[in-house]
Amino acid sequence: MALEAQGLSFRYHKNQPWIIKDCNLNIQKGQRLAVFAPSGHGKTTLAMLLAGYLEPTKGQILLDGKPLPETGVCPVQLILQHPEKAVNPRWRLRRVLEESGRLSEELLYAFGIEGAWLDRFPRELSGGELQRFCVARALMSGADYLICDEITTMLDVITQAQIWHVVLEEVRKRDMGLIAVTHNHHLAERIATETLTLPTDFSGTLPPLHP
Amino acid sequence: MRSLNRRKKLLLLTVGMGVVFFGIYGLGILIPEEWVAGSFLSARQPPSLAHPFGTDALGRDLLLRTLKGLSVSTTVGLIASGVSAVIALLVGIAAATGSRWMDGAISWLIDLVMGVPHTILIILISFAMGRGLKGLLVGIAATHWCSLARLIRGEVLQLRSQQYVAVSRKLGKSSGWILIYHLLPHLLPQFFVGLVLMFPHAILHEAAISFLGFGLPPEQPAIGIILSESMGYLSAGLWWPAVLPGLTLVLLVLLVDNLGEQLQSLFDPSSAQE
């Protein structure tokens, strides 16, 4: 049981520089990996590739030896950095959560999501409150792997701690694989079993930041 | 009106619109032809209590004739703008979700239709379809969808690139499901506002084309026909056959236009609370 990237390379156009080149990565269920890189070095791109949001230019993503399924609920779920963009502004939050399946009261309670919030629109909640919904939505889909792209970067430390506490508990309980993209080394120390620092793992050269 | 908020204002306008529409329809159907048929004894009378809009050169009561005319005009306006708005929705979605080739073809067609002046295009289509109500309806419906279609195309393109649509796909939702539950709720306000704002255009074009003699036949009491007939008597000092039916048309158009604008600002989240 593993999520693998083999010779993963990506660029937006063939005239443009590589954003990710020959990246190899392997994460087993139950492993927790922290990914570091300076800004603009393809952390989010890597996260999107691994979750199937982008198609790799070269190389492949394998889940247990097979490509990611194209239909149905994806077993690799990505949580994005900006929760307000990841929910439909015209949907009430109950509907946002129900998009990934049946509401889990237990999980809502663990995240401190109050019942009254469910009947509100996204505009009426703060970023931290919204991010809890996005994380809950990803967890409720029953995914085996969770990719967190700087999910708590914009939150205060208390909210960060709350959210990560619940995420780690769920990840342990369900024996999920976790990839956390972050700038924060202290956070990585607390949550990850191993770390990957993007530039050193490249076999090629880094693309110029502003070509 | 200042003390009323937008929702109340909209409600009032909608009720007003309803009353006006049903009133016009009801009167248009209920008023018997004999009442409109006048006598030469009462020809060319200025507005009075017996004839609030006066009478025309054939002695017909202009108020009754205007109401009957508006009933024809609103029918034309409603059907033509309804058909046009549906065309716009379908074409817009097709352009945004179809292949690049299709998008190019549709955008080219929109540019082409918008490039030709509406009035000329409606005259050509109406003439080719044998004039009358049918020619006019097809002509107006075939020319008014372009700007709304372009708007909807842009909206769909923008919505499809939203993160929540990508998330929805990874939660196992199909393209059809996403279209119905994620995209349509955003498109419907555009659609309804477009529809309501299209109605005044359609009704004015109907009047204009009939006025020019390419639309409805002269025996039908359409507003355009009344205005066209009144032209001959303007120089003789008969101002009421032109002014009063014309003003009634303008009032109806302004009412619908205002309704459309109120709807627009209510549907737009950034101005909904004003």
Side-chain angles (χ1 to χ4, degrees):
Chain A
M1 296 294 273
L3 178 66
E4 278 178 277
Q6 292 181 344
L8 194 64
S9 303
F10 182 82
R11 58 182 171 185
Y12 281 98
H13 191 264
K14 60 176 179 285
N15 298 329
Q16 290 193 323
W18 292 101
I19 295 167
I20 289 177
K21 198 158 180 1
D22 296 328
C23 177
N24 291 307
L25 194 147
N26 183 316
I27 174 165
Q28 309 283 329
K29 267 187 132 182
Q31 264 185 328
R32 300 191 300 276
L33 175 74
V35 178
F36 290 110
S39 293
H41 283 72
K43 292 192 300 293
T44 297
T45 309
L46 179 65
M48 289 194 143
L49 283 166
L50 287 172
Y53 282 59
L54 292 172
E55 284 291 310
T57 315
K58 265 197 268 171
Q60 53 187 345
I61 313 282
L62 296 175
L63 180 68
D64 304 331
K66 291 186 292 266
L68 288 176
E70 284 186 12
T71 53
V73 183
C74 187
V76 182
Q77 284 292 330
L78 174 65
I79 305 169
L80 294 142
Q81 192 177 356
H82 302 290
E84 63 279 11
K85 288 188 194 165
V87 296
N88 189 334
R90 285 185 190 269
W91 280 17
R92 286 180 201 278
L93 284 149
R94 182 185 300 281
R95 218 166 147 201
V96 170
L97 282 180
E98 281 170 349
E99 193 176 13
S100 74
R102 232 161 49 80
L103 289 182
S104 148
E105 295 289 339
E106 200 184 331
L107 204 57
L108 296 192
Y109 181 75
F111 273 112
I113 292 175
E114 290 171 19
W117 297 358
L118 291 173
D119 293 316
R120 292 196 194 160
F121 284 105
R123 201 163 355 111
E124 298 163 345
L125 292 181
S126 72
E129 289 162 353
L130 272 185
Q131 190 63 293
R132 294 171 213 222
F133 279 93
C134 291
V135 179
R137 175 172 65 177
L139 285 172
M140 281 183 353
S141 71
D144 294 326
Y145 293 89
L146 206 56
I147 302 177
C148 304
D149 181 15
E150 302 202 50
I151 60 166
T152 54
T153 310
M154 69 302 186
L155 303 178
D156 63 89
V157 282
I158 295 172
T159 317
Q160 273 196 30
Q162 270 181 346
I163 289 183
W164 276 112
H165 183 73
V166 183
V167 171
L168 288 181
E169 200 161 288
E170 282 294 314
V171 164
R172 281 202 200 97
K173 200 158 66 185
R174 303 194 206 166
D175 195 30
M176 296 165 78
L178 177 79
I179 298 177
V181 174
T182 178
H183 280 295
N184 188 336
H185 284 264
H186 301 294
L187 178 66
E189 265 170 40
R190 295 293 295 272
I191 60 175
T193 51
E194 41 249 281
T195 55
L196 168 77
T197 309
L198 264 188
T200 58
D201 285 82
F202 280 112
S203 55
T205 50
L206 265 177
L209 262 181
H210 301 287
Chain B
M1 291 293 261
R2 180 146 283 232
S3 60
L4 295 175
N5 71 16
R6 189 162 268 149
R7 275 166 211 281
K8 286 182 188 152
K9 219 166 152 184
L10 183 79
L11 193 72
L12 272 184
L13 270 170
T14 316
V15 171
M17 281 298 307
V19 169
V20 168
F21 265 130
F22 284 108
I24 284 172
Y25 266 121
L27 287 172
I29 295 164
L30 287 180
I31 294 172
E33 291 286 340
E34 304 90 68
W35 288 20
V36 183
S39 74
F40 286 101
L41 287 175
S42 56
R44 303 190 189 191
Q45 285 181 358
S48 64
L49 272 181
H51 303 287
F53 278 21
T55 56
D56 66 2
L58 298 175
R60 292 174 294 195
D61 183 81
L62 271 170
L63 177 62
L64 295 176
R65 211 161 133 72
T66 302
L67 288 176
K68 259 196 154 351
L70 278 180
S71 140
V72 175
S73 296
T74 45
T75 315
V76 173
L78 275 181
I79 296 178
S81 54
V83 170
S84 224
V86 171
I87 294 177
L89 185 71
L90 296 180
V91 167
I93 292 178
T97 54
S99 61
R100 187 169 292 187
W101 176 88
M102 189 144 87
D103 188 21
I106 288 175
S107 297
W108 179 83
L109 186 69
I110 290 176
D111 285 341
L112 182 76
V113 177
M114 285 180 94
V116 184
H118 274 178
T119 315
I120 293 177
L121 204 56
I122 300 173
I123 289 176
L124 288 176
I125 295 174
S126 175
F127 195 78
M129 300 287 298
R131 303 199 199 174
L133 192 63
K134 185 176 142 213
L136 203 59
L137 276 177
V138 175
I140 295 175
T143 47
H144 281 66
W145 53 272
C146 305
S147 49
L148 184 60
R150 184 177 278 177
L151 200 76
I152 286 177
R153 169 184 171 269
E155 188 81 2
V156 173
L157 281 180
Q158 189 231 340
L159 286 171
R160 264 162 55 93
S161 65
Q162 294 290 324
Q163 278 182 355
Y164 55 80
V165 172
V167 171
S168 187
R169 217 158 255 152
K170 287 295 155 195
L171 288 170
K173 305 300 182 200
S174 65
S175 297
W177 195 94
I178 290 174
L179 177 70
I180 292 171
Y181 292 101
H182 275 296
L183 303 192
L184 275 186
H186 288 262
L187 294 179
L188 281 183
Q190 303 272 12
F191 174 80
F192 281 116
V193 172
L195 175 72
V196 173
L197 289 180
M198 212 186 274
F199 174 80
H201 270 260
I203 207 171
L204 284 179
H205 269 124
E206 181 270 327
I209 302 300
S210 294
F211 176 79
L212 291 173
F214 295 99
L216 298 171
E219 68 274 11
Q220 206 144 21
I223 288 284
I225 301 289
I226 298 174
L227 292 179
S228 167
E229 280 172 3
S230 72
M231 283 294 284
Y233 305 102
L234 258 185
S235 52
L238 271 70
W239 53 271
W240 55 92
V243 172
L244 295 175
L247 270 183
T248 319
L249 177 69
V250 170
L251 273 182
L252 182 73
V253 165
L254 281 181
L255 190 67
V256 181
D257 196 58
N258 201 319
L259 179 76
E261 273 165 20
Q262 300 289 341
L263 268 181
Q264 193 166 30
S265 37
L266 259 192
F267 279 140
D268 183 3
S270 63
S271 63
Q273 311 293 338
E274 280 172 16

